[in-house]
Amino acid sequence: MPPFPSSVVIREVGLRDGLQSIQTILPTQRKIEWIADAYAAGQREIEVGSFVPARLLPQLADTAELVAFAKTLPDLRVSVLVPNLKGAERAIDSRADLMLVPLSASHAHSLANLRKTPDEVIAEVARMRAARDAAGSKTLIEGGIGTAFGCTIQGAVDQSDVLRCMQALLDAGADFVSIADTVGYASPAAVRDLFEKARHIAGDRFCCGHFHDTRGLALANVYAALEAGVARFDATLAGIGGCPHAPGASGNASSEDLAFMLADMGIETGIDIERLLALRAKVAQWLPDETLHGSLWLAGLPKTFANHTAIA
Amino acid sequence: MPPFPSSVVIREVGLRDGLQSIQTILPTQRKIEWIADAYAAGQREIEVGSFVPARLLPQLADTAELVAFAKTLPDLRVSVLVPNLKGAERAIDSRADLMLVPLSASHAHSLANLRKTPDEVIAEVARMRAARDAAGSKTLIEGGIGTAFGCTIQGAVDQSDVLRCMQALLDAGADFVSIADTVGYASPAAVRDLFEKARHIAGDRFCCGHFHDTRGLALANVYAALEAGVARFDATLAGIGGCPHAPGASGNASSEDLAFMLADMGIETGIDIERLLALRAKVAQWLPDETLHGSLWLAGLPKTFANHTAIA
C-alpha cells in the first residue's frame, strides 16, 4: 500500500460552490454562523464566496463581508473564487488569504462557462500575479483546472491539455494549482494516473483535488488521489452544489462523509465530526427546499469510531 | 499503481439482499423478468433468493422456482443463500450452482442474526459439505463472513476473528470464502489491509467482497479491494437492501454505479450499462414505495464513455 498523507485538509467550499448552485439565497448572518461553526468543528480552510459581479450571482454578493468576518478567526485560511483581474483586485483589497482562479481544460467548456479560452485565463493569471505583487499583497493565487476528466460539451479532454495548462499556470505565477472533475467524469484509475503526473510537474504546488459526486465516485476518487500523495480536497457540507454550466453535475463530495472516511483511515483532519454533523443539521434546516446529499448524517458514526483526528 | 484485475464479476444480489430488506413483495413473474433482463444486460452471476422458511421471509418463498428459471439461461451462475443444513439440502435439490452460507465474525451479531455462534455455523458448513458430497451434487459452497469490519451490537470485530473464521470455513469444506461489511463500517485502508491478509490465507478461494453503502464508502471500498486483487463483488440494482438486523444499514453498492466505475477503469465486466439502466428504470416502477439508491441513473453516462466492456 502506498503511504497515505498523515494529515489532510478538507477545504469547505459549500459557501461558494454549494450556494452558487441552488435557488435559496442564504442571509449573510447565516453564512457567518456557518463559517463560525465550521471553524469550531475544526475546519481551517473555507472558501467563503466569489468576487463576481453581484448581478451574476446575487447569492454571493456579500463575499467581502464574509472575508472580513472569517479573517477574525485565528489560523483560518480564507479562500475566495475570482474569475478575472477585477475580482482578483477585490480579493487583494479584502485581504483574503487565497484566491482561486478557475480555468477549464476543455476549450469548449471554457468558452461556455468563462467566455475565455484557457490561454486567455492563463494570461489573466499573469496580470493577477503582477497586481498582487504590485500591491505588496500576500494573497496566494491558486489556478484551478476544471473539466480535467472531460466535459459535457466537447466530451473528452486530453490529459496533455490538463498538464499543459498546469505548467502554464505555474509559469504565469500561480502559487498553487489544483484539479477539478467539474462534471463527475472521473474514475479512480484515471485520477491516480493524472494526479501522479501532476505531482511530477508541480510537486507540492499541486495542492488540491475537487471531485463532484455526480456518478457516485467522489470518495473513491479521493482515495485514488490520496494514493498519489495529494493531501487537500474541496468538499461541501451535505454535498451541496455542482456546476451550473454542466447539466446533471449535482452534488459535491460531502464534507462530513469525506471527514469520516479520512478519520477512519487514521488520517488527521482536525475535524470533530459530531460538530460537523450538528452544523449539517442546522444548514439542512436553513435550506428546506434544496436537495442535499451525503450518507453519514443518516446512519451516524459507527459504534467502533474513535475520533482520533478531532482537535483537542 | 498495483495491477487491477482485468475482469471483474458483479454478482447481482438485489433479488435476495435487496428484496428481503424492503416491504414490497415482488411477484415471481417480475423476478423472472428481472433475472432475464439482467442476463440480457450481461450479468452472469445472480443470487436469486434464499432457502429460508417462507414464514420468516415470505418475499423469498419462490426461490426454488427462480432457480429453475435461472438454470435455463446458459452460462449463468445461479446463487442462493442458505442459513442451515435444511436450506442447503433444498439448494442441492434445486441444482443451484452455488450456495452462500452467511456467518457473522461478530459473536454478538451471529447470535442475534443467526441464533448460532460462528463455530456452530462452521460446523454446519461441514455438514453441508458432507451432504453435498453424499448427493454427488456440484453445488458450490461459499462461506460469507459478515460484520467483518465491526457490528452495531458488539462494536469492534478483531481482524484475527475474521481470518480465523475464514481458515475454519475452508477447513470445514467451503469451496470459497467471501467478506462482507454488513453494516457499512469499512473504510478503504481497512479493506485493503484485511483483503490482502485474506488473499494470503485463501488465495483465489477468497472470491468476493460485499459492501454496503451505509456511509457512502461502498465504491471506495471496492476500489481498495481491487487493489488487493479481489475480482468479484456483490451489488444490488439501485442499491436496494441492507441487513434487517443492522439498524441504519440501508443501501448496498449499486450495481449500475459499480459497473460504470469498473468500465471506466477499463476493467471487463461483460455488462451493457445502458441495458442495466433500462432494467433499473423498470424495477424502480415496480417498487414505487421503496427508497432506491445510486447516482448514475440520474446523471446518465458521460459523453466520453465508451462501453468497452459490453458483451458483443
Side-chain angles (χ1 to χ4, degrees):
Chain A
M1 217 184 307
F4 293 110
S6 59
S7 68
V8 159
V9 172
I10 297 177
R11 174 164 57 187
E12 177 61 47
V13 300
L15 290 132
R16 198 277 305 167
D17 197 5
L19 296 183
Q20 80 171 38
S21 308
I22 62 177
Q23 295 304 310
T24 311
I25 296 188
L26 212 56
T28 304
Q29 200 49 47
R30 296 286 201 212
K31 295 186 188 180
I32 285 174
E33 193 173 341
W34 182 343
I35 294 166
D37 282 14
Y39 181 80
Q43 295 200 278
R44 287 295 176 268
E45 192 155 344
I46 302 178
E47 192 177 65
V48 299
S50 187
F51 282 118
V52 290
R55 67 184 157 74
L56 292 182
L57 285 176
Q59 57 271 56
L60 304 185
D62 53 4
T63 296
E65 258 180 281
L66 297 175
V67 174
F69 169 73
K71 287 292 292 173
T72 66
L73 301 170
D75 300 321
L76 178 66
R77 182 185 266 186
V78 183
S79 292
V80 292
L81 184 142
V82 300
N84 51 29
L85 181 60
K86 175 73 188 158
E89 289 166 349
R90 293 171 66 196
I92 291 165
D93 287 347
S94 77
R95 304 172 63 98
D97 297 304
L98 185 145
M99 49 187 170
L100 185 139
V101 191
L103 174 152
S104 276
S106 154
H107 201 272
H109 186 270
S110 187
L111 290 175
N113 197 17
L114 306 167
R115 282 175 237 156
K116 288 178 197 153
T117 66
D119 284 334
E120 286 167 348
V121 176
I122 291 160
E124 190 84 343
V125 166
R127 288 188 285 273
M128 293 179 191
R129 173 62 186 257
R132 190 269 302 268
D133 291 351
S137 156
K138 289 181 179 163
T139 302
L140 297 165
I141 301 170
E142 176 180 330
I145 305 169
T147 62
F149 297 90
C151 94
T152 50
I153 305 168
Q154 84 177 44
V157 169
D158 280 352
Q159 223 181 40
S160 61
D161 287 341
V162 177
L163 298 174
R164 187 190 67 80
C165 287
M166 179 168 283
Q167 187 61 60
L169 282 166
L170 294 168
D171 293 344
D175 300 291
F176 297 108
V177 286
S178 56
I179 288 181
D181 176 27
T182 312
V183 294
Y185 275 21
S187 67
V191 169
R192 182 152 175 194
D193 185 41
L194 179 62
F195 276 39
E196 283 180 347
K197 288 173 179 151
R199 292 269 294 171
H200 190 70
I201 287 177
D204 287 341
R205 292 171 71 192
F206 171 40
C207 74
C208 192
H210 178 112
F211 295 108
H212 286 186
D213 200 36
T214 319
R215 291 169 182 83
L217 303 190
L219 294 185
N221 290 336
V222 166
Y223 179 77
L226 288 168
E227 292 185 316
V230 173
R232 175 180 274 100
F233 297 96
D234 287 347
T236 70
L237 197 67
I240 307 170
C243 175
H245 292 274
S250 58
N252 272 274
S254 131
S255 303
E256 62 277 17
D257 288 9
L258 175 55
F260 164 64
M261 182 176 91
L262 294 168
D264 206 67
M265 289 174 69
I267 296 173
E268 190 85 26
T269 67
I271 291 174
D272 181 326
I273 297 178
E274 299 278 14
R275 293 179 92 155
L276 199 62
L277 287 172
L279 174 57
R280 188 204 190 276
K282 192 186 276 190
V283 171
Q285 282 192 319
W286 295 342
L287 302 173
D289 302 324
E290 306 294 346
T291 302
L292 305 183
H293 306 276
S295 297
L296 183 67
W297 71 276
L298 187 58
L301 287 165
K303 196 168 186 169
T304 48
F305 184 74
N307 199 1
H308 297 302
T309 70
I311 49 176
Chain B
M1 216 183 309
F4 292 111
S6 59
S7 68
V8 159
V9 172
I10 298 176
R11 175 164 57 185
E12 177 61 48
V13 299
L15 290 133
R16 197 278 304 167
D17 196 5
L19 296 183
Q20 80 172 39
S21 308
I22 62 177
Q23 294 304 311
T24 310
I25 295 189
L26 213 55
T28 305
Q29 200 48 48
R30 296 287 200 212
K31 294 185 189 180
I32 285 175
E33 193 173 342
W34 182 341
I35 294 166
D37 282 14
Y39 181 81
Q43 295 200 278
R44 288 294 176 269
E45 190 156 344
I46 303 178
E47 192 177 66
V48 299
S50 188
F51 282 117
V52 290
R55 67 184 158 75
L56 292 182
L57 284 175
Q59 58 270 54
L60 303 185
D62 54 4
T63 295
E65 257 180 282
L66 297 176
V67 173
F69 169 74
K71 287 291 294 173
T72 66
L73 301 170
D75 300 321
L76 178 66
R77 183 186 265 185
V78 183
S79 292
V80 292
L81 185 142
V82 300
N84 51 30
L85 181 61
K86 174 76 189 154
E89 288 165 350
R90 292 173 66 196
I92 290 166
D93 287 347
S94 78
R95 304 173 64 99
D97 296 304
L98 185 145
M99 50 187 169
L100 185 138
V101 191
L103 173 151
S104 276
S106 154
H107 201 272
H109 185 271
S110 187
L111 290 175
N113 198 17
L114 305 168
R115 283 175 236 156
K116 289 177 197 153
T117 65
D119 284 333
E120 286 167 350
V121 176
I122 290 160
E124 190 84 343
V125 167
R127 286 188 285 273
M128 293 179 192
R129 173 61 187 257
R132 190 270 302 267
D133 292 349
S137 156
K138 290 181 177 163
T139 303
L140 296 165
I141 301 171
E142 176 179 329
I145 305 169
T147 62
F149 298 89
C151 94
T152 50
I153 305 167
Q154 84 176 43
V157 169
D158 280 352
Q159 222 181 42
S160 60
D161 287 341
V162 177
L163 298 174
R164 187 190 67 80
C165 287
M166 178 168 284
Q167 186 61 61
L169 282 167
L170 294 168
D171 293 344
D175 301 291
F176 297 108
V177 286
S178 56
I179 288 181
D181 176 28
T182 312
V183 294
Y185 274 22
S187 66
V191 169
R192 181 151 175 194
D193 185 40
L194 179 61
F195 276 38
E196 283 180 348
K197 287 173 179 153
R199 291 270 294 171
H200 190 70
I201 287 177
D204 287 342
R205 292 171 72 191
F206 171 40
C207 74
C208 192
H210 178 112
F211 295 108
H212 286 185
D213 199 36
T214 320
R215 290 169 183 83
L217 303 190
L219 294 185
N221 290 337
V222 166
Y223 179 76
L226 288 168
E227 293 185 315
V230 173
R232 175 180 273 100
F233 297 96
D234 287 347
T236 69
L237 198 67
I240 308 170
C243 173
H245 292 273
S250 58
N252 272 273
S254 131
S255 303
E256 62 277 18
D257 289 10
L258 175 55
F260 164 64
M261 182 177 90
L262 294 169
D264 206 67
M265 289 174 68
I267 296 172
E268 191 84 26
T269 67
I271 291 174
D272 181 325
I273 297 178
E274 299 279 14
R275 292 179 94 155
L276 199 61
L277 287 172
L279 173 57
R280 188 202 189 276
K282 191 186 277 190
V283 171
Q285 283 191 321
W286 297 341
L287 303 173
D289 301 325
E290 306 293 345
T291 302
L292 305 183
H293 306 277
S295 297
L296 183 68
W297 71 276
L298 186 59
L301 286 165
K303 194 167 188 169
T304 48
F305 183 74
N307 199 0
H308 296 304
T309 71
I311 48 176

